[in-house]
Amino acid sequence: MDYLSFWLAGRQALTGTPEIVYHLDSFSELQFRTTASDTVFAFFYPPTFQLLQIPYSFLSAKIAHITFVATTSIFLWYILRAILRNALWATCLVVIPASLNNAFHGQNAALTAALYALFLINIERKQPVLAGIALGILTIKPQLGLLAPIALIASYNWRCFASASITSILLAGASLLVLGSEVWISFVGQVPIASNVMQNGFVDWEKMISLYSSLRQFDINHIYSSTLQACLGLVCLVCVAFAWHQTTDMTIRAPVLIAGTLLTTPFALSYDLTLLIVPCAFVIRNGLEQGFLPYEKFMLTAFIVLSSSTSSIAIQLGIPLAPLLPFIVFVLGLQRYFYYSSFSTQMKATNTIKP
């Protein structure tokens, strides 16, 4: 399972050789000695994530896997309950197929989703310092925070921006003190390898959810695929800036930001679809309290049903459906913006009519 690389990263931190996880040959040999399996899991995360794995590495691999999945899933459930104000709905979202897929592989999407949820709910509650702390910790997976600075700048949320910056610096500093400077040097040195892994399909494109990976499945070359991926990212960036500048409604902000981020990054896998639970929670809360907009229930259902089968469909049928799922959630946010804008315009027009 994927969690093996996390556990071994924590173990190497305990033995005083954390930099080994960033040297693929040495890390592959270590995994073979541990499992006698030829399957290799690379560790492309920054040392800050390795630092967070140290407590779990005191446990055996299997117990650590179960404990990591349990703690991160409970964390996500707790924040979802705060958003939805309903424990049952939070439980339903935590066990949707995408989330179960993440748990099965021992991946970290429940943790990153919980951090995103904590960031957004504190923005909604006007607690920017706490929101920034959550966003700063999210730098354990940098590609998921690509558009967050744009959102904060567009909404003039400088206190959250500062809090996130300070938190990320302190977290990096803590990893430097605990793990040493060599681990950061090794991490930076393996960045070209990570890019090469994606470009050459060493991680199956069918298992990824980006536009880039979908285009590569159709034998479109790296340059064209990268260009189209960049264009899509630019569109998402503009939409995030617009949405976060124009409204404070989290049923608009959350879907546009999180789904836009997944549409922007070229490197995201099927378990990362778990992040889309968070904007869905805001939409469901509003729908239960004030009513759903046309087609919202259908789009939510489509996301949930397809959230664990995109890889299977891509592998067996050659149809890359994965980018459709963040696009569905992205549309949920934009639809709400245009609906409320239209409704507000009609109300203003009505109020200007003299009796």
Side-chain angles (χ1 to χ4, degrees), residues 1-2 5-6 40-45 97-99 101-103 105-110 112 141 143-144 194 197-199 201-214 217 229 258-259 261-276 303 306-312 314-315 321-326:
M1 296 303 168
D2 296 10
S5 66
F6 302 168
V40 175
F41 298 98
F43 190 84
F44 293 132
Y45 298 92
S99 185
N101 181 44
N102 172 73
H105 288 92
Q107 265 295 342
N108 54 28
T112 53
K141 201 163 184 177
Q143 70 267 33
L144 298 182
V197 164
M198 181 186 70
Q199 180 177 336
F202 295 127
V203 175
D204 295 337
W205 289 315
E206 292 85 357
K207 297 179 180 179
M208 301 176 71
I209 63 173
S210 64
L211 175 64
Y212 173 86
S213 62
S214 298
Q217 288 179 59
Q229 178 71 63
I258 295 183
T261 298
L262 289 180
L263 288 170
T264 297
T265 177
F267 195 86
L269 282 91
S270 57
Y271 51 77
D272 287 315
L273 293 171
T274 304
L275 270 73
L276 296 175
F303 159 66
L306 293 173
S307 65
S308 72
S309 57
T310 55
S311 295
S312 300
I315 292 171
L321 290 178
L324 180 63
L325 272 64

Side-chain angles (χ1 to χ4, degrees), residues 190-354:
Q190 72 141 15
V191 170
I193 298 175
S195 177
N196 186 56
V197 164
M198 181 186 70
Q199 180 177 336
N200 291 290
F202 295 127
V203 175
D204 295 337
W205 289 315
E206 292 85 357
K207 297 179 180 179
M208 301 176 71
I209 63 173
S210 64
L211 175 64
Y212 173 86
S213 62
S214 298
L215 294 173
R216 293 308 303 270
Q217 288 179 59
F218 290 121
D219 294 326
I220 298 175
N221 67 37
H222 170 69
I223 294 177
Y224 287 127
S225 299
S226 298
T227 301
L228 291 172
Q229 178 71 63
C231 291
L232 176 60
L234 182 60
V235 171
C236 292
L237 184 151
V238 171
C239 289
V240 167
F242 180 80
W244 278 68
H245 180 73
Q246 292 292 327
T247 180
T248 60
D249 188 345
M250 201 54 72
T251 64
I252 298 170
R253 282 181 163 188
V256 172
L257 175 60
I258 295 183
T261 298
L262 289 180
L263 288 170
T264 297
T265 177
F267 195 86
L269 282 91
S270 57
Y271 51 77
D272 287 315
L273 293 171
T274 304
L275 270 73
L276 296 175
I277 291 173
V278 179
C280 287
F282 284 103
V283 172
I284 290 170
R285 181 191 67 185
N286 187 272
L288 292 173
E289 293 175 352
Q290 302 180 25
F292 289 93
L293 299 185
Y295 306 110
E296 276 191 336
K297 290 181 180 180
F298 172 78
M299 287 190 284
L300 288 166
T301 302
F303 159 66
I304 291 170
V305 170
L306 293 173
S307 65
S308 72
S309 57
T310 55
S311 295
S312 300
I313 293 173
I315 292 171
Q316 296 177 17
L317 302 179
I319 303 173
L321 290 178
L324 180 63
L325 272 64
F327 179 74
I328 287 172
V329 178
F330 193 72
V331 170
L332 281 173
L334 292 179
Q335 177 184 237
R336 281 186 166 264
Y337 174 78
F338 289 114
Y339 175 83
Y340 289 131
S341 296
S342 175
F343 180 77
S344 177
T345 301
Q346 291 176 7
M347 290 297 294
K348 289 179 180 178
T350 302
N351 291 336
T352 57
I353 298 176
K354 296 181 179 180

Side-chain angles (χ1 to χ4, degrees), residues 56 67-77 102 107 110-111 114:
Y56 297 99
T67 305
F68 179 75
V69 168
T71 53
T72 54
S73 297
I74 290 170
F75 181 28
L76 176 58
W77 174 86
N102 172 73
Q107 265 295 342
L111 174 60

